[in-house]
Amino acid sequence: MMNKNKEIILKIENVKMDFNVGGQIVPVLKGISLDINQGDFAVIFGPSGCGKSTLLHCILGMEKPTSGKVLIEGTEMGAMIEDDVVRFRKTRIGIVFQQSIWIKSLNVLENVSFPNLLKGMTKEEAQRLALETLKDVKLDNWANYNPSSLSGGQQQRVSLARALTLDPAIIVADEPTGNLDTVAGDELINLLVNLNKEKGKTIVMVTHDLEYLKFANKLFHIIDGELVEQFDNAGAIKMSGSLRTKKGERTQKTVCHKDYLESKGTTCK
């Protein structure tokens, strides 16, 4: 059972995001509000083009909302200048992208330790912390390898180690299993679940994969730039079991939300 007294670590207040496309204003986010508490495993999901990536960019401070606020630990991301956003992001947010990004001239240990070198740590201290997080993801024996020589699943686990070495307030994972096979994807998700349950890490994950919704204690379902429903705790498990997918297909194409679709003049197919 989630502790209701836990502090809100991420607050999104009526965030709207418009883009100018060919001289026309296109609304992408249409007033999204949600709260994520310290220690939550939150999943944001919805079909392609629904606004998940744009919302994630707003959370990371990579985009400033047209209106509304994104606050992490009480700090408003959109109110900071770019340099301050970068400093905040590299100290308080651990990021795991869908595609791993490496400094190719550095080995695994050096890549993982690099963010702490940027913070001013000594090489010895940065590598000590990097080795600890590599142990957490069960890849310490690969510390001296070039990361590009590792499998896709291993590379994503190294990316997670790099995010962890900063001791971030929140870990943001953007479609982290999108390029992985089922086995490697399950391994990565299990690591995230263990970090959440055993170390209390706050996880915010964007995904198409309905199979992984059951691990969340908070679900946020987005369609056409709107938050159409959200669930806590047992509701997340029930919701994940009710979504329809084709047999053998775990990636979400569309999700039928009856009330929402009927409000738009259409029906579930």
Side-chain angles (χ1 to χ4, degrees):
M1 181 66 68
M2 185 175 60
N3 185 348
K4 294 182 179 180
N5 295 320
K6 287 184 177 180
E7 295 183 359
I8 295 173
I9 193 168
L10 170 61
K11 176 177 279 292
I12 297 175
E13 297 181 348
N14 197 29
V15 164
K16 297 180 181 180
M17 190 72 186
D18 301 333
F19 290 98
N20 189 322
V21 180
Q24 293 186 332
I25 301 301
V26 178
V28 176
L29 301 178
K30 304 171 184 177
I32 290 181
S33 296
L34 59 88
D35 292 342
I36 293 173
N37 292 343
Q38 183 180 4
D40 280 342
F41 192 125
V43 170
I44 300 169
F45 73 103
S48 296
C50 71
K52 300 187 305 297
S53 293
T54 300
L55 180 60
L56 195 68
H57 290 168
C58 291
I59 292 172
L60 296 174
M62 297 166 68
E63 300 271 7
K64 291 190 177 183
T66 304
S67 62
K69 297 179 180 180
V70 175
L71 300 103
I72 297 178
E73 294 186 310
T75 297
E76 185 181 348
M77 301 299 289
M80 291 189 285
I81 63 173
E82 186 174 352
D83 286 350
D84 289 340
V85 171
V86 172
R87 278 190 287 269
F88 185 89
R89 190 164 56 229
K90 73 181 183 181
T91 57
R92 304 306 297 148
I93 307 174
I95 309 173
V96 181
F97 291 110
Q98 182 174 346
Q99 182 68 45
S100 302
I101 302 171
W102 308 116
I103 302 173
K104 295 182 179 180
S105 61
L106 303 182
N107 64 26
V108 166
L109 183 64
E110 291 165 339
N111 267 279
V112 174
S113 63
F114 190 73
N116 277 328
L117 291 176
L118 294 178
K119 289 169 59 177
M121 282 189 186
T122 64
K123 179 179 178 180
E124 291 73 18
E125 179 66 7
Q127 291 195 352
R128 182 186 67 80
L129 293 174
L131 191 58
E132 287 182 6
T133 57
L134 283 170
K135 288 179 180 177
D136 288 337
V137 301
K138 301 177 176 59
L139 284 177
D140 48 306
N141 290 334
W142 298 81
N144 294 321
Y145 284 70
N146 187 291
S148 298
S149 69
L150 275 57
S151 69
Q154 288 173 321
Q155 290 190 47
Q156 282 298 72
R157 285 154 60 192
V158 174
S159 292
L160 178 57
R162 182 172 56 188
L164 285 172
T165 194
L166 295 168
D167 190 25
I170 185 169
I171 297 172
V172 175
D174 181 15
E175 298 280 6
T177 63
N179 292 334
L180 305 182
D181 61 31
T182 300
V183 173
D186 288 348
E187 288 177 348
L188 183 68
I189 294 298
N190 286 332
L191 284 170
L192 290 171
V193 170
N194 289 337
L195 288 167
N196 173 252
K197 293 185 178 300
E198 296 177 8
K199 297 195 174 184
K201 291 295 183 182
T202 304
I203 312 289
V204 178
M205 183 171 76
V206 169
T207 187
H208 279 82
D209 200 326
L210 305 181
E211 179 71 17
Y212 299 135
L213 303 190
K214 62 190 176 187
F215 296 114
N217 74 308
K218 281 191 175 179
L219 283 180
F220 300 99
H221 186 185
I222 295 177
I223 299 179
D224 293 341
E226 298 180 49
L227 179 61
V228 297
E229 57 192 349
Q230 62 186 63
F231 296 90
D232 291 351
N233 300 314
I237 297 174
K238 183 178 179 180
M239 177 62 178
S240 68
S242 70
L243 295 174
R244 297 182 304 152
T245 54
K246 296 179 182 179
K247 185 176 180 181
E249 182 179 321
R250 297 169 57 182
T251 299
Q252 180 184 10
K253 301 291 186 186
T254 59
V255 173
C256 178
H257 182 276
K258 184 174 182 294
D259 295 338
Y260 176 80
L261 291 176
E262 288 180 351
S263 75
K264 300 296 182 181
T266 185
T267 59
C268 299
K269 295 181 180 180

